[in-house]
Amino acid sequence: MKLPRWLRLPTQPLLRHLLLAVAGGLVLYVITLSVSQYDNLELAEIGWYAIAIAGLSVLTGVNGQISLGHGAFMAVGAYSAGLMMEHFDLPLIVPVLVAVGAAAVIGGLVGLPATRLKGPYLAGVTLALAFAVQDLPNKFSSLFNGDQGIIVNPPTPPGTVPAERWLAWITLFGAVVGMVILANFLRSRFGRSLRAVRDDEIAASAAGLNPARLRVLTFAVSAAAAGLAGGLFALWSGIVSPDSFSLFLSIQLLAGMVIGGSGSLIGAWWGALALVYIPEWTQNVSGHFNLSAGVKANMQNAVFGLLIIVIMMLAPSGIQGWLRSLWSAIGRLARRSKGDSDQAVAPLTSTPSPERISP
Amino acid sequence: MGRFVDLTLNGFTYGVIYAAVALGLVLIWRATRIVNFAQGALATLTTYIAVSLLDRSVNYWLAFAGALFAGLVIGALTERVFIRPLYGKPDLNPIVVSIGLLILVESIAGAIWGSGDRGFEPAFSQIGISVGKTHLEFSHFDVFVLASVLVLMVGILVLFRWTNLGLRMRASAFAPEVARLLGVRVGRILTTGWALATFAGALAGLLVAPKVLLSPNMMDPILVYGFAAAVLGGLDSPLGALVGGIVTGLGISYVGGYMGSSMETVGAAVLLIVVLSIRPEGIFSRPSARRV
Amino acid sequence: GTTSAKPTATTTPGVTASQIILGTTTPLSGPAAPGYSEIAPAAGAIFDYVNAHGGIFGRKIKFIIDNDQYNPTLTVPMTKQLVQADNVFATVGGLGTPTQLAVQPYLNSQKIPQLFIASGCACWTDSKYPYSFGFQPNYIVEGKILGSYVKKNFAGEKVGYLYQDDEFGLDGVKGLDQEISKSSIAGEQNYQGTSAGLAAGLGNQISALKNAGAKVVVLYTIPAATALALLAAAELRWSPQWVISSVGADPPTLAGLLSSFSKKAVTGTALLNGAITNAYLPPESDASNAWVKLSKSILTTYDKGYTAWDGNAEYGAALGYATVELLEAAGKNLTRPGLIKALETDGSKFATSGLVPFTYSASDHYGFSGSEIVKIENGNVNPVSPIYESTNTGPITTYTGSQAPVPNLFKGA
Amino acid sequence: MLEIDRLSVAYGPVRALTEVSFEARDGSITAVLGANGAGKTTLLRTITGLVPAKEGSIRYDGKEIAGLAPEEVVRRGISHVPEGRGVITELTVEENIRLGALWRRRQPDYQEAIDRAFALFPPLESRRKQSAATLSGGERQMLAIARALAAKPDLLLLDEPSLGLAPLVTAELMRIIRELARTDGLTVLLVEQNARSALSIADVAIVLNLGRVVASDKAAALASEDELRHRYLGF
Amino acid sequence: MTATTADGLPAAPAADTAPAAPATAAGLVVENVTVSFGGLSVLDNVSLTSSTGEIVGVIGPNGAGKTTLFNVICGFVRPQEGRVVWRGKQLRHHHPYDLASLGIERTLQGVGLFQGLDALDNVLVGAAPVARSGLFSALFGLWPSSREERRLRDQAMEALDRMGVAEYAARMPSTLPYPVQKRIALARALVSQPALVMMDEPASGLSASDISELAELLGALRSEMGVLIVEHNMDLVMATCDRIVVLDFGKVIATGVPDEIRADPVVTTAYLGEAVESEPADARD
Ligand SMILES: Nc1ncnc2c1ncn2[C@@H]1O[C@H](COP(=O)(O)OP(=O)(O)OP(=O)(O)O)[C@@H](O)[C@H]1O
Ligand SMILES: Nc1ncnc2c1ncn2[C@@H]1O[C@H](COP(=O)(O)OP(=O)(O)OP(=O)(O)O)[C@@H](O)[C@H]1O
Ligand SMILES: [Mg+2]
Ligand SMILES: [Mg+2]
């Protein structure tokens, strides 16, 4: 099923990903114009979730390092951006870039001890970090303003653009740019190396890759994406407080990643959609039933938990993985209808021809 | 000095509780190679079952036993329904399913029993024991907790080191396919593993609840500290779980006592990072064997 | 949430000829839900009563309760949803300091009243945010009243503080410090209001206070923390004089926790006996109080999830009465600026179930003006002082007025 | 007696075995030969139930065993040494062997069978308490075979047992297999890449190619068919 | 027979003239290496050399220490005594991943392919030591890295082609027959054009015809690089090796050209035994 040449995407990473980004961006632009202001806010939420999940996906899905505390890196980004915006009057891009940088540095530092840790041990450390990060603003409350957090003024839209739409544009633009960079990264030799280290560390080092260095690098890149998400979150939420970065956020990111399809950037968008709309739908649906307050209050989480489980069972490689297998099943069907045999195994050149010899 | 003694005793008693949770995690890790994040939520569920029994004025120890038995059943059911379909799927999936289960079970508990805090009777008095004129921050109940956890630990140690069931469990966890080729009924073994681990969790719940008030989210922080304890000691080692729990409890107590309560979680994280930087697979891990 | 602008957009959002839409965010699940989850439904029951009796100027109140789990990250989108999708006229009784602070700029920028915030933070009076109003006596005032009682009645005794390390605890301590001299303070301890902060109990803090020689311990704690503190002291066989902020001293809630603790301890509900706290609503155990009677009967009929009468239910009902008063005061032609004006000019005259009037004026957006000191004895609360009033910096005065009578609207209940 | 009748197996769309039929008499050694990818491993894995059969039947001692779970097949006296050893590296050498025999621990000769397995491979004896992870490649192969023998099987399925073994050990192994077949009546299905050495001890042999049986005969007869040898066996 | 190494230095003398080269010669020199694990001596004073133009075989009974010797060279195992010298410089505290950039590649026992990468990407990972483009260029997808990527891709295709498996470039390893996988692993080791390749049991699991193709291939590599192989398949070893080192219980018990080794009675009793076809003597009584 090859497309004609002029329809195929360029192979040069930047051109290829920019083209995809512009196409995706156009679609999003049209959507922001045609939906309500509240929906725009949700689009903005999808934006920061998506880039945070994408960052986690690079770390966990592509490099095989489990992080149960990615919310901590978002906190780093959000607080850096929040503090910058509180104390200086700079164009928006500056605090956001600072958020990315700060998170990358912290991520790299966390990555250092993490390079020697495997599976659950790394999970334990990141979990503890996510737990600790909530208390730091209290310890240094003169800087971080304790539990109350830092209030971030919403960005002022130009002209007559409604504030919500402007927010959606900013977050989605940030997320898409972040995605382009992550996509470039994954398509480069670094991306390949990360996968190699994930699959077989011994073979990777025999092939000349330094697993420890690659792990730190991945941590930094992944945290940078989370930092970007944190910066966008600060704008979207209007407040940066310790409670914004509870363990639940980290867990949501992980769940979103696996639901969307771990290791896939497109999957990150599916995951973000799920995180934003599953609770909303549950709330709307449970509103139609005459449930007692106690049940209603727990409905949202119960359905969320149940859906996580169900998706993992029905689509073990997430939504993106499911779509992919659907696509290849369609491809197989198409081929079969063209009359190709289903013996898909290609015989070896050195394998003798299969004619039968009677003994 | 009195303060130091209090901090030590307080840290120790909570450390033993973290150890109880850690032991459950170790058990399930060795038996199935899965970190069960729903461990705490399932323990909360069984504790609520004990409460419901107590509310119907069932004898305390019967209710206690009832909760433990419920742990066995719930663990086995959980494995059959939620975990069995996941074998052979990516490593992350069981983790995420256990997280989903955690959220689901806690909200079910919240829906049935309400989100409110409630007390849970301790098995023995929680009033501190007196030595001469000083009242120690260590009660008869704490003695009971310590004894239970020690018994649990020795039980797990014996199970894995000296019993055939333990041998089968380890084999099934590491290499299910090969184990089946050696005649091990892997399915049953994994179900047993979950049942036993949830039993251990149920015990932890009954020991934790009197100390921290019973609510659907009761075990969340305890699970985090228990997980930290298990990782600290080495996920494969029951002794490590005990030591890891006590180290975590003491660490948190000293940090909280001398540096302020907002440093407790930070202290736990630092402790974990420092120890694992030196011993990446926990204090009691064996040096890793050849890899090539 | 896809509701776009309604045809009535030219008039005030959330108000039609037959309906007023109000919204709130509150923890119905999660760590802060215990107790607090009763508040919003209780307020809703009052509205339902009013609706069943003709509404306000013919308008029925639609009250939307969103569960933000006491997490500002959820409060923000949920509040935006209330405004943009549900088209609320105002938010009422949003619960929590960090949660409501998170939406304060947004609500004010949209000129949406943020009424009767369920928090005593000394931060709700702020000229930048004219649409925000607190409900409880602010924690500084409360601290001052408790502090002066301690100073008077436990003179010469060493005092220890245990407070939650956030605005709630810190504001309380600010008030206490105005009254209690530094020299009589034996020690100060705090804890984190997160679930992790309570996971290891409060044994360390209590033992530190005991070792420092405190005889009176003031608790600025939420109910769960109060229970843990009492338990830790019992474990040390230590029984100081407890002085507990009204936030964490609701006897039915605590008694439930403590009675089960102490089953294996020395005596019944002894742990809470003799504790001092403050109250700005009539004692819930005062069955003869007209407002208490009224609330109990309304809640029994109209609150679907109603289980037991306690301080949280009483608080929610009080929120409901105040809201109804306000909507009536704002008049038939209901607009947001009109509502604010009514609250600032007439707020201090509202007939509410509080023991004291509101302080509201153009320059004061705190709620109740003070409280009385009560002692917990065998699960009942008994007043042991006159009713006091104060401001953040002013002197403490005695309030001599009596509680407002039940308005006609509620006479039928 | 193992009877396989018109057995077909597929991995999704990939057909791995097509209508394979043959019999293995008690006490006989059957060599299963063929190029890489011919389906030899699949055949053994299907017999033990690790791979489901699509069609056909597998009968052992007159009873159908297709469709049984591997652990149940094993408990009928069939031991399988999987390709690539399948040593459980997290256990010690002794635990590996004990586990192999554990399902028949109630039989009186349980301990004796374990001891005999050790005796067959002296390098293992000296490493009893060592973690299997420390073993060399060849030592692991020995362990896998010893473990299968410790279960005292009636039917032994060997998937490339000589892989990684030193020539001397391979020869010794072949001798042991032949002896067990003769004296104990052990039935053996021997998959070998090294056709020459397999044919030297086998009674009969079948040759698979692309999942079909292309030849089956007495081992000696096959070895002398030059065209077949060149075409399928590469020597 | 004299060849030149990649540096243009004369290669070590051919096997038939001198069994051990002096430490100054270019190539790999292992000197007096001793390794023991918890008291168990695995390598005992082992020395060995290898240089371009030469295929050296290491054989010996199971557990003799062959893989351990490879691990010492690669840095997976640190010797208690002795040293490893590469091109005249001692390798000290080196890590496995350093070797590739020094020009030493290794294949693992089995195949060791990355299951999550297709065949071409597997080979491209092997090209990592020669990749130069930076992180910045990779993040922004700039032309330096994409140009280099194209160049490496061509090289990787060439390497696959040379192993005769170019047609499988886009396939995932798990879907390919074993011998093809082995060839891809070999292509991965060769793509960076190393000066020395170390192979651990390259013939294991291959059929006779595949082994003879492998032998041809190794012969073709001889002129370009040094080859060090550990192998139990005597057909391959005897057909390709210029020089053979025999280990037993961690000690070198013999060194020489294939014919010498075959004739050595010590080697026969310790390792080779009689021909497989005949009834073996009871060597293990
Ligand atoms: N899990 C699997 N999924 C898909 N195809 C498979 C799987 N296992 C084997 N195959 C295919 O089935 C066919 C038979 O494989 P099998 O492993 O049985 O051959 P073999 O004769 O044992 O080969 P070798 O000598 O390499 O071990 C091959 O084409 C192989 O690619
Ligand atoms: N970490 C370790 N602890 C204990 N013994 C070890 C360790 N590593 C290797 N050994 C032992 O060292 C010996 C040499 O192992 P090595 O893998 O080098 O053998 P080999 O020559 O490659 O054998 P084979 O031909 O079977 O692959 C073996 O007997 C092995 O059991
Ligand atoms: Mg095979
Ligand atoms: Mg080896």
Side-chain angles (χ1 to χ4, degrees), chain A residues 343 345-346, chain D residues 10-17 32-45 51 83 159-160 191-193 208 210-211, chain E residues 171 174-179 181 205-207:
Chain A
Q343 180 94 34
V345 55
Chain D
Y11 297 100
V14 183
R15 232 177 289 139
L17 290 181
V32 180
L33 307 173
N36 290 109
K40 309 180 293 292
T41 299
T42 304
L43 175 61
L44 297 198
R45 288 171 66 85
V51 174
E83 189 174 24
D159 201 344
E160 305 200 19
V191 166
E192 256 304 331
Q193 214 45 269
L208 290 178
L210 291 181
Chain E
R171 298 271 293 267
S174 61
T175 67
L176 293 173
Y178 189 75
Q181 294 189 34
L206 294 187
S207 64

Side-chain angles (χ1 to χ4, degrees), chain B residues 290, chain D residues 136-138, chain E residues 66-68 109 200-201 230 232:
Chain B
R290 62 184 290 179
Chain D
S136 78
Chain E
K66 305 176 295 293
T67 301
T68 308
Q109 227 165 336
D200 203 348
E201 303 197 18
V230 163
H232 287 301

Side-chain angles (χ1 to χ4, degrees), chain A residues 44-61 67 69-75 171 174-176 178-179 182 219 221-233 245 249-250 252-258 264-265 267-269 271-272 275:
Chain A
E45 191 179 6
I46 289 172
W48 64 257
Y49 262 131
I51 189 68
I53 294 174
L56 180 60
S57 208
V58 169
L59 183 70
T60 304
S67 168
H70 233 52
F73 299 122
M74 268 185 73
T171 8
V176 169
M179 290 279 179
L182 288 181
F219 246 102
V221 169
S222 165
L228 173 59
L232 299 175
F233 168 87
F245 308 101
L249 173 66
S250 298
Q252 274 184 307
L253 294 181
L254 189 74
M257 178 195 80
V258 181
S264 153
L265 295 184
W269 290 93
L275 290 185

